[in-house]
Amino acid sequence: MLWIIYILAGLGAGVVTGLAGLSAAVIITPLLVSVCGWASYDAVTVALASDVLASLLSSYTYAKNKNIDLKSGMLTMITAFLGTVIGSYCGYLFSQAEPDGLGYISMLTTIGLGIKFLVKPITSGADGSDEGHQISLKKRIMAMIFGCGIGWVCGFTGSGGGILMLTVFTVVLGYNLKVAVGTSTMIMSIVALTGAISHVLMGASLNGLPAVVTIVACLFGALVSARFANRCEIRKLNHVVGVVLSILGVLTMGIKWFG
């Protein structure tokens, strides 16, 4: 039964990564902790390790389809990197505590953004090839500041980074959903790598074969979902992402309450 959970956790995490640019931790961490009985710090480490390859593969797929903004992504990535290192250290110091506040904020954000994509889909916004899309210095600085905060959240809890990055690129920088997801996954691959290495150096365990199975399943899910997302019509993609986020938010909230 546990092996089935590892596979399902990996596949589900890969799907939300490739489809909506979310962190694999929103699926993997609650399942490994609540169902499989893992220590939270170890579960976060496996989730971050899964994020590295899944996010990298997803961003490559989006880049091939010109749905990525390298300039804004690199600037935000630098501050997110710094935030992740600090967040990982804070997570180590408080690994015995339960960060319920951050967890519930992430879940509510997931549900709220899911409803937003269903009710008011993002069908406009610049795409990756739009050279006329000008972003002010103020907005770039805002994105970098948010990136640092998001990196801290990701390093500390292993969750929430992807959904918050998606919000920054759609709301702050004005990109359409595909570019937002593509750029978000590019950043998350580096943020996750930083977080995973930091966690391992601080004593977390990857638990061998279960981690490998989860990571491979996550990689497969990300590959399939990223290809689907790039071929999907933008309005339909909004609806699919909206449904996935809404269901995901409710399920993780349920696991948190009743797990």
Side-chain angles (χ1 to χ4, degrees):
M1 184 63 185
L2 287 179
W3 292 106
I4 295 175
I5 297 298
Y6 296 145
I7 294 172
L8 291 178
L11 286 175
V15 168
V16 298
T17 298
L19 193 65
L22 303 190
S23 168
V26 297
I27 297 287
I28 291 176
T29 301
L31 283 177
L32 294 188
V33 172
S34 300
V35 180
C36 302
W38 284 37
S40 59
Y41 202 66
D42 293 345
V44 167
T45 305
V46 172
L48 289 170
S50 300
D51 254 336
V52 176
L53 293 177
S55 296
L56 191 61
L57 178 61
S58 296
S59 64
Y60 174 73
T61 303
Y62 279 89
K64 284 202 308 181
N65 291 274
K66 297 182 179 180
N67 286 317
I68 201 167
D69 176 13
L70 291 175
K71 184 177 180 179
S72 295
M74 291 300 292
L75 290 174
T76 309
M77 185 189 298
I78 294 171
T79 55
F81 171 85
L82 296 175
T84 305
V85 173
I86 298 171
S88 294
Y89 183 65
C90 292
Y92 171 72
L93 293 178
F94 296 97
S95 60
Q96 300 302 315
E98 181 76 19
D100 285 330
L102 287 173
Y104 284 124
I105 288 174
S106 176
M107 294 170 198
L108 292 173
T109 301
T110 300
I111 296 172
L113 198 56
I115 295 173
K116 192 267 181 191
F117 282 129
L118 287 171
V119 175
K120 191 176 180 182
I122 301 174
T123 55
S124 59
D127 58 35
S129 60
D130 187 359
E131 297 181 357
H133 181 58
Q134 298 295 323
I135 301 174
S136 67
L137 178 61
K138 179 181 178 180
K139 287 185 176 181
R140 290 194 186 277
I141 293 175
M142 286 176 61
M144 292 175 70
I145 293 173
F146 283 132
C148 185
I150 292 168
W152 185 91
V153 170
C154 185
F156 185 75
T157 69
S159 64
I163 193 69
L164 296 175
M165 283 291 183
L166 187 63
T167 305
V168 169
F169 280 96
T170 54
V171 176
V172 178
L173 298 182
Y175 281 106
N176 68 34
L177 183 57
K178 290 185 179 182
V179 176
V181 172
T183 310
S184 173
T185 53
M186 178 190 73
I187 295 172
M188 289 309 300
S189 64
I190 303 300
V191 170
L193 178 61
T194 306
I197 292 174
S198 298
H199 277 61
V200 170
L201 291 176
M202 292 175 192
S205 173
L206 289 174
N207 292 315
L209 188 57
V212 172
V213 171
T214 305
I215 292 170
V216 171
C218 182
L219 190 60
F220 177 77
L223 175 62
V224 174
S225 59
R227 287 181 176 178
F228 166 79
N230 278 279
R231 294 172 182 172
C232 187
E233 189 270 327
I234 192 70
R235 183 176 291 274
K236 181 180 178 181
L237 180 61
N238 272 265
H239 290 157
V240 172
V241 171
V243 170
V244 170
L245 293 183
S246 299
I247 294 174
L248 176 61
V250 172
L251 286 178
T252 52
M253 188 75 78
I255 292 174
K256 189 77 170 180
W257 282 344
F258 306 111

